[in-house]
Amino acid sequence: MTIKRTLFLGFFILIVIFIINFLIDYRLSSEVVTNSKYLSHSEDVIRNSNMLHKNMIAMQNSFRGYLLTGQESFLIPYNEGIISVPSLLKEQKKLLVAPIQMSRLDSIKLLHGHWIVYANGLINAKRDTVPEASKKYEELFEKKLRMEAGKKINDSIRNIFIDFDTYEYGIRQERRQRLRESIIRTRNISAGLTIFSITMAIALSIYVVNTIVQRIRKMTAFSEDISRGKFLQINDGKNDEFNILSISLNIMSSTLDANFKELTAKNKELDQFAYVVSHDLKAPLRGIDHIIRWIEEDHKSELSLEMQKKVELINGRVKRLEGMINGLLDYARIGRTKKSKTEISIDSLISGLIDLLVPENFAVIIASPLPNIIAERVLIEQVFANLISNAVKYNDKADGTIWISYNDLGHYYEFNIADNGPGILSEYYDKIFIMFQTLKERDAFESTGMGLAIVRKILDEMKTSIKVAPRNGGGTIFSFTWPKEQIN
Amino acid sequence: MKPKSILVIEDDYLDIVSIKRALNKFEKKFELNIAHNGVEALEMLNGNIPDQKKVHPDIILLDINMPKMNGIEFLRIIKNYLSLNNIKIFITTTSAEEYDKLAAEQLGITGYILKPLELDIGNNVKSDDNKKLIKELVS
């Protein structure tokens, strides 16, 4: 599966979990809302029932007060009740669902109606001042009131109210319990789902990140192998975005492998070339050298002065060609064979070279003790030897002087070899490093023209540089850099 | 005393002359046999050349780069000749190529000498191998 798909699938699973979480939460919260609605409905019914009963009792009190005192002001609650009780009954009826409660309410309504008829009769009789009315009142008082007709109705109403309220309290209690339970359930399920979602999110993130990191690590390890020269092929068998990278790396690896093999083959060819040059080209040259020597040894007395001069000329040319072939061989050998690296004291290396290359009449001034480096001795020695021998060879002063100093450049040293020779025109600064190039006529000055070309090639191999500058007071300064510790 | 027998295996006429001239500078005489390639040298060592005695050299001067059979191949073959074990073999060549040197050393040679030969006793001979050869020649 591709990384993209893995990521999408991961996110999709997470989104699904969150949607399920949301739906369950929504469902649970609706249950809580419904339960709380039921509860508040129950409370409304109870409140209404209380108000209804209170109004009825107020009417009864008001009715009794009027009968006792005959004062109309006592009838105010009664008259208010005439209006409010039916509307309260209507309102209550709308709220009720249970048939048993409805029938109880109907009973209350009916009984209250009876009581109103009974009360109205007594109130009207009490209110009329005509003698017949007074008699009628007496009669009603004796028959109805004394016989507790009203009280019986009211007792029935109270009993129904008690039943009604008891039933409603029960429902309220049950709904309150249900609400509490649904709140707890919602809270628990919600917490559980949230923990589950977070755990899933973390697990998925870890899985996806791990998958990607593992793939990156594998590719990194593979490219590190390539950079170390292990040109293997990776076969990861997966089909994701990194597979394209692994294919590219495989191509790179095999290309590098092929190129390195070709390079090795080319190096071998060069070896062969160097060998051929050294053996086959030098052999006839050496033969000529031998013959000249033998002529000089065996026939010197037979040679005219003119012939001796010409033989000498041949000899010079043979030596020059030999020098050039040797220089070319040295040049071709640079970087071809790796020697072991050792710690080298530049001080002792220079003093050895001075003994070998610098004549007595020259002065060599070394600015300060020179450092130690870790390098292939033959390479650094060749660079110093060629520069010092040039400084000697081309010097035209009676008091020839060579100055050697160095600067610390962090990972590198810069070595300076200065002379008080004739100096070099700046337009020749590049030319002098080209092989077989010399600035003096060969007949006047014997040189192979390979010395600085070899220096440049060694420094190119080391990936360092050399520069030429005029010296104050005449002469030239060659400055080259060299790593403190040579790394292949 | 019987003169020392030297077998020179060398294809270059000038090198042969050069060796002869170098040996002539010694006071003592040597028995000198020349083979122009490895095959001829083996024939000489085996006594297979008509009208010529079997050669029993004390010293072999062996060139590396030769036609028919080069010096290294020659060394590989004679390594199996037990009777040749006490022969001092010196490689003579112009190149200081490492692999030649290594291959020759593995095949048990006595020394390794760069041409042209500098064998004068009076000369300031620097190479240890050259000194070894001179010692063998004068002993």
Side-chain angles (χ1 to χ4, degrees):
Chain A
M1 194 167 14
T2 62
I3 299 284
K4 197 165 115 185
R5 278 199 190 154
T6 312
L7 276 173
F8 274 127
L9 187 69
F11 283 120
F12 179 73
I13 291 170
L14 276 183
I15 288 167
V16 167
I17 289 169
F18 279 111
I19 288 172
I20 292 169
N21 198 354
F22 169 76
L23 288 176
I24 292 172
D25 270 355
Y26 183 79
R27 179 107 190 268
L28 288 168
S29 66
S30 325
E31 202 179 302
V32 169
V33 169
T34 313
N35 282 336
S36 69
K37 261 187 199 162
Y38 281 153
L39 181 64
S40 80
H41 179 259
S42 263
E43 276 168 351
D44 285 350
V45 170
I46 288 166
R47 197 174 52 244
N48 262 4
S49 156
N50 286 342
M51 210 182 280
L52 197 62
H53 198 187
K54 215 171 87 189
N55 279 11
M56 285 180 182
I57 289 167
M59 283 175 82
Q60 286 160 23
N61 289 341
S62 156
F63 159 74
R64 279 192 212 105
Y66 178 73
L67 289 192
L68 279 175
T69 60
Q71 280 181 26
E72 281 290 329
S73 63
F74 272 95
L75 277 179
I76 293 168
Y78 179 85
N79 290 330
E80 280 171 3
I82 294 288
I83 299 159
S84 68
V85 167
S87 73
L88 278 170
L89 279 168
K90 211 170 161 188
E91 200 179 315
Q92 186 72 318
K93 192 164 186 180
K94 270 190 216 158
L95 290 173
L96 290 180
V97 185
I100 186 164
Q101 291 292 79
M102 276 174 144
S103 80
R104 277 178 185 136
L105 192 72
D106 287 342
S107 304
I108 288 168
K109 194 179 168 186
L110 193 69
L111 286 169
H112 183 68
H114 289 327
W115 184 78
I116 292 287
V117 173
Y118 153 80
N120 270 347
L122 273 163
I123 289 165
N124 288 337
K126 173 96 181 165
R127 204 179 268 153
D128 278 349
T129 47
V130 290
E132 291 85 13
S134 181
K135 198 179 167 190
K136 193 183 176 187
Y137 175 76
E138 288 297 326
E139 194 182 307
L140 281 171
F141 192 87
E142 285 304 321
K143 276 188 187 165
K144 300 264 175 162
L145 198 72
R146 280 225 194 270
M147 294 305 285
E148 297 184 336
K151 188 177 174 287
K152 278 174 189 159
I153 292 170
N154 285 333
D155 284 349
S156 297
I157 287 174
R158 194 174 63 242
N159 286 335
I160 295 170
F161 263 116
I162 288 168
D163 289 346
F164 186 94
D165 286 354
T166 308
Y167 181 86
E168 208 57 48
Y169 282 139
I171 284 176
R172 189 175 71 171
Q173 188 56 31
E174 187 196 312
R175 284 179 177 172
R176 189 174 280 161
Q177 183 63 27
R178 206 187 293 163
L179 175 64
R180 197 180 299 128
E181 278 167 9
S182 69
I183 287 172
I184 291 167
R185 194 166 55 242
T186 305
R187 203 155 54 200
N188 289 346
I189 291 174
S190 244
L193 276 172
T194 307
I195 290 167
F196 175 71
S197 308
I198 290 170
T199 313
M200 281 301 283
I202 291 171
L204 273 168
S205 309
I206 290 171
Y207 172 75
V208 169
V209 167
N210 264 357
T211 308
I212 296 172
V213 166
Q214 268 177 13
R215 302 288 287 136
I216 291 176
R217 278 207 189 122
K218 195 170 180 183
M219 294 300 144
T220 312
F222 183 44
S223 25
E224 272 172 4
D225 278 350
I226 292 175
S227 74
R228 288 198 199 99
K230 272 202 257 168
F231 304 121
L232 307 168
Q233 295 286 306
I234 194 168
N235 186 10
D236 65 359
K238 295 209 172 168
N239 188 22
D240 60 15
E241 290 83 346
F242 286 104
N243 199 31
I244 298 161
L245 182 62
S246 78
I247 290 166
S248 307
L249 284 173
N250 278 340
I251 291 169
M252 188 170 92
S253 176
S254 54
T255 310
L256 280 172
D257 195 23
N259 286 349
F260 267 92
K261 276 182 184 147
E262 200 184 318
L263 195 67
T264 313
K266 285 264 151 62
N267 267 345
K268 270 195 177 157
E269 260 176 49
L270 192 66
D271 272 3
Q272 194 57 31
F273 168 75
Y275 190 86
V276 166
V277 168
S278 96
H279 192 272
D280 294 7
L281 222 58
K282 274 173 82 178
L285 191 67
R286 210 181 55 251
I288 299 168
D289 184 48
H290 285 178
I291 295 164
I292 293 164
R293 210 145 43 126
W294 298 339
I295 290 171
E296 283 174 336
E297 281 173 18
D298 302 347
H299 309 285
K300 196 153 191 182
S301 57
E302 299 164 34
L303 295 179
S304 68
L305 223 63
E306 187 64 22
M307 276 177 81
Q308 280 183 34
K309 263 191 195 168
K310 279 171 181 156
V311 167
E312 196 50 46
L313 275 175
I314 299 173
N315 210 4
R317 291 299 189 278
V318 167
K319 291 276 176 300
R320 185 186 295 169
L321 186 53
E322 196 180 1
M324 285 167 89
I325 290 172
N326 284 340
L328 200 60
L329 268 174
D330 286 345
Y331 186 88
R333 277 199 193 102
I334 297 164
R336 206 158 50 83
T337 50
K338 294 267 180 248
K339 298 263 168 35
S340 61
K341 293 183 282 288
T342 49
E343 184 166 4
I344 301 157
S345 154
I346 299 296
D347 257 329
S348 64
L349 186 139
I350 294 284
S351 79
L353 288 173
I354 290 169
D355 288 347
L356 201 69
L357 303 169
V358 184
E360 294 284 320
N361 60 325
F362 267 73
V364 180
I365 299 164
I366 296 169
S368 56
L370 296 167
N372 288 8
I373 60 165
I374 294 171
E376 285 178 58
R377 190 183 176 91
V378 64
L379 295 179
I380 182 78
E381 193 168 45
Q382 180 95 67
V383 172
F384 272 116
N386 289 7
L387 292 174
I388 291 171
S389 73
N390 277 358
V392 171
K393 200 156 68 174
Y394 295 101
N395 203 303
D396 52 354
K397 307 291 186 304
D399 58 339
T401 311
I402 298 167
W403 290 268
I404 298 171
S405 63
Y406 83 100
N407 305 312
D408 193 331
L409 303 179
H411 291 300
Y412 291 84
Y413 288 120
E414 183 185 59
F415 294 101
N416 311 299
I417 290 110
D419 62 67
N420 63 341
I424 301 165
L425 290 173
S426 59
E427 64 240 52
Y428 296 127
Y429 283 174
D430 287 333
K431 200 182 167 193
I432 54 174
F433 290 103
I434 299 169
M435 61 168 88
F436 299 133
Q437 292 290 336
T438 60
L439 296 181
K440 295 216 170 186
E441 302 76 30
R442 281 225 166 78
D443 286 337
F445 204 89
E446 200 53 62
S447 163
T448 60
M450 286 304 292
L452 288 177
I454 288 170
V455 167
R456 164 70 74 80
K457 195 177 173 197
I458 292 173
L459 295 175
D460 282 350
E461 284 284 324
M462 301 302 301
K463 299 191 170 50
T464 59
S465 60
I466 183 162
K467 60 183 188 218
V468 194
R471 184 185 151 266
N472 275 339
T476 312
I477 308 170
F478 283 89
S479 305
F480 71 90
T481 48
W482 194 274
K484 286 182 178 174
E485 190 169 342
Q486 182 184 329
I487 303 157
N488 284 334
Chain B
M1 203 176 99
K2 197 175 155 241
K4 287 226 164 194
S5 173
I6 302 168
L7 173 60
V8 175
I9 309 170
E10 173 64 73
D11 64 319
D12 189 323
Y13 166 75
L14 285 174
D15 280 328
I16 296 168
V17 176
S18 176
I19 290 168
K20 277 181 180 168
R21 288 176 71 96
L23 293 173
N24 278 338
K25 286 182 183 165
F26 285 81
E27 280 176 12
K28 58 193 286 190
K29 295 291 160 216
F30 302 101
E31 182 199 320
L32 196 63
N33 289 290
I34 313 285
H36 297 92
N37 55 61
V39 176
E40 193 183 344
L42 286 177
E43 300 281 292
M44 289 168 97
L45 290 168
N46 289 325
N48 289 344
I49 295 181
D51 308 328
Q52 204 175 320
K53 273 198 287 179
K54 189 174 174 178
V55 176
H56 298 283
D58 300 301
I59 299 164
I60 292 178
L61 298 179
L62 174 67
D63 184 26
I64 290 292
N65 201 359
M66 289 181 297
K68 287 187 184 170
M69 180 192 290
N70 72 28
I72 301 290
E73 286 166 339
F74 175 79
L75 278 175
R76 284 208 183 100
I77 291 167
I78 66 155
K79 208 186 161 195
N80 302 321
Y81 284 53
L82 286 172
S83 59
L84 300 175
N85 269 355
N86 52 356
I87 300 176
K88 308 286 176 190
I89 300 172
F90 290 85
I91 301 277
T92 60
T93 187
T94 46
S95 67
E97 292 296 321
E98 290 293 322
Y99 55 85
D100 273 354
K101 232 178 173 177
L102 259 168
E105 271 159 18
Q106 280 164 1
L107 292 164
I109 57 147
T110 310
Y112 182 87
I113 291 161
L114 274 179
K115 288 188 249 185
L117 296 174
E118 298 282 355
L119 299 178
D120 304 74
I121 307 165
N123 274 7
N124 187 12
V125 179
K126 276 182 185 166
S127 152
D128 286 340
D129 284 2
N130 282 24
K131 282 179 193 163
K132 259 193 234 169
L133 176 56
I134 292 167
K135 204 179 141 198
E136 288 297 328
L137 289 169
V138 298
S139 67

